Amino acid sequence: MSDKARIRLPRRTRARGRTVPPSSPRPRVPGALAQLAVVLRSPARAAQPLFAQAPRAWQRMLPFAVVGVFAVTLLPVTITVLANDYGLNGGWAGALGVAQTVPLLLAVTRPVHAWAVVLFADTLGAVLLLHAERVGSQVWPWPPMVIVGYLLLMACLGLRESTRTLVGVWLATGAVGAALGFFQPTGSMNTAALMFVLGGVVLALAGALRGLGDAQQRIAEQESISDAERARRTLLEERTRIARELHDVVAHHMSVITVQADSAPYRLPGMPEPVREEFAAIAASARESLGEMRRLLTVLRGDGTERAEGEKAPQPGIDRIQQLVEATVRAGQPVELSLAAGAAGAAPPAVDLSAYRIVQEALANVVRHAPGAAARVSVTVDEDEVLVLVVNGPAPDDVVALESSGTGHGLVGMRERVRLTGGTLDTGPLPDGGFRVAAHLPLNTPDEDPS
């Protein structure tokens, strides 16, 4: 005959759940554009160039390339427009073209310094244009190529600097334009207001983008902190719960020692007095230890008398796994149980309790995350260990999981129980979409003598 009693429980045809409506297709943004959008929202630090935190090399080089193209393009255009359209002297046109465009190359790493140099050069250019031959028929004080370069500089500032700096730059731009307006040449078109408005719009948009990146970064930092605290709290809660349960196991043995030591003189008449005193000392030490454990348990419970009263029931073990499986089946979850004969009496109390809790948590995870999936529970015992195996298949397609993500209590608790008994735990998904939990619990704990 087989040494295992195999129990096959009936399976319900359908678990309680909801049908999933077909999801409508969503337009997907190309990967490169999506990455670029993330990089734009990633603020650069004070000592870093723009896009310094981008994951790819071409993304980190993109600001330098864009600014370089603008500088190379604006330099000859500025010199040509100042010389031909405004009638400025060729030497002055060349000098102003260099002073107004070359500092743009600093905008990627030092935008504030670049802005100060460019604003000074643009202001000097506006003053020199007052004496140009054909300024009366052109725009002034900011020619079109000056506006283009200045707006590029505003974009770099908005992605890099604080809101206070951006407001100061915007007000300084407006103040310089308003001051130059008192010297406007006759017949020219004043562009100070246009520069003021466009500069404010670009600063606002770039600053808002940077603010969004700052906010997302702070949220990510808080989430990482919250996840770490949640994991730490979960671990502490599981350790406390295990300590409470183990108290009941150890307290039982301590109580037995106390009773045996107290009753020894009556069960063994004619005992010498030194031996009687030794048994009395053993009983006193056991009672003192039991009292200390109860005081510690009071501290560990710490959440009300009602819960403490509810935990006075005997702790379950392997002999209760069949009832656990039957209750799970009645709840609509198909489960098959294979329980080795004599497994309940072969394991010490800590292993007995741990095996039951591991099966309980594994089945609870199946119900939460894969309702309706076929599950199999197997508990086998040999001369060295207890093997607990819980395997489930994928959930039916027409059933919605009760939870899409867990809190982590289940696996943390399993690991703590297995670690406590000196065993090993193997968990992970299966190729077909199911999940497997395998716990090896040694019958002889590290503190026990196997002989």
Side-chain angles (χ1 to χ4, degrees), residues 224-238:
S224 63
I225 294 174
S226 299
D227 291 342
E229 288 296 327
R230 188 181 302 111
R232 179 176 175 272
R233 185 174 63 251
T234 298
L235 182 61
L236 293 177
E237 290 175 355
E238 288 299 323

Side-chain angles (χ1 to χ4, degrees), residues 55-142:
R56 301 183 181 275
W58 70 267
Q59 294 172 346
R60 293 191 292 271
M61 296 302 298
L62 184 61
F64 294 97
V66 172
V67 172
V69 169
F70 269 86
V72 171
T73 303
L74 288 177
L75 178 58
V77 172
T78 300
I79 296 174
T80 302
V81 171
L82 292 179
N84 296 339
D85 295 351
Y86 285 83
L88 190 64
N89 179 271
W92 283 111
L96 280 178
V98 172
Q100 292 175 347
T101 57
V102 172
L104 293 176
L105 298 174
L106 293 175
V108 178
T109 55
R110 293 178 175 83
V112 176
H113 297 80
W115 167 77
V117 174
V118 169
L119 181 61
F120 175 78
D122 292 346
T123 304
L124 179 61
V127 174
L128 293 176
L129 288 179
L130 288 174
H131 306 286
E133 297 178 0
R134 294 184 290 275
V135 69
S137 59
Q138 303 295 332
V139 295
W140 185 90
W142 316 125

Side-chain angles (χ1 to χ4, degrees), residues 171-193:
L171 294 179
T173 302
V176 172
L180 291 174
F182 292 103
F183 307 98
Q184 180 178 353
T186 304
S188 64
M189 180 183 299
N190 194 306
T191 54

Side-chain angles (χ1 to χ4, degrees), residues 93-308:
L96 280 178
V98 172
Q100 292 175 347
T101 57
V102 172
L104 293 176
L105 298 174
L106 293 175
V108 178
T109 55
R110 293 178 175 83
V112 176
H113 297 80
W115 167 77
V117 174
V118 169
L119 181 61
F120 175 78
D122 292 346
T123 304
L124 179 61
V127 174
L128 293 176
L129 288 179
L130 288 174
H131 306 286
E133 297 178 0
R134 294 184 290 275
V135 69
S137 59
Q138 303 295 332
V139 295
W140 185 90
W142 316 125
M145 57 282 184
V146 170
I147 295 177
V148 172
Y150 202 83
L151 293 181
L152 173 66
L153 190 57
M154 294 296 100
C156 295
L157 280 167
L159 292 174
R160 180 66 176 273
E161 303 300 327
S162 63
T163 303
R164 180 179 299 180
T165 302
L166 300 185
V167 172
V169 167
W170 184 54
L171 294 179
T173 302
V176 172
L180 291 174
F182 292 103
F183 307 98
Q184 180 178 353
T186 304
S188 64
M189 180 183 299
N190 194 306
T191 54
L194 178 64
M195 173 77 90
F196 185 69
V197 173
L198 292 180
V201 171
V202 174
L203 286 175
L205 292 177
L209 198 59
R210 171 190 165 82
L212 178 60
D214 288 335
Q216 290 181 338
Q217 186 175 15
R218 288 193 295 269
I219 292 174
E221 292 174 354
Q222 290 298 323
E223 287 179 348
S224 63
I225 294 174
S226 299
D227 291 342
E229 288 296 327
R230 188 181 302 111
R232 179 176 175 272
R233 185 174 63 251
T234 298
L235 182 61
L236 293 177
E237 290 175 355
E238 288 299 323
R239 287 181 175 178
T240 302
R241 186 160 69 99
I242 294 172
R244 289 197 301 263
E245 294 175 348
L246 286 180
H247 162 269
D248 297 337
V249 176
V250 177
H252 168 73
H253 294 292
M254 296 295 293
S255 301
V256 172
I257 293 174
T258 304
V259 172
Q260 288 178 337
D262 282 334
S263 62
Y266 305 98
R267 292 183 290 104
L268 304 173
M271 185 180 298
E273 186 62 26
V275 178
R276 296 170 63 92
E277 294 177 356
E278 187 69 22
F279 275 110
I282 293 174
S285 298
R287 279 193 293 269
E288 183 179 356
S289 300
L290 191 58
E292 291 292 337
M293 289 186 60
R294 286 170 177 167
R295 283 191 289 271
L296 177 61
L297 180 64
T298 303
V299 175
L300 289 177
R301 294 184 195 275
D303 45 359
T305 306
E306 181 180 353
R307 180 175 178 179

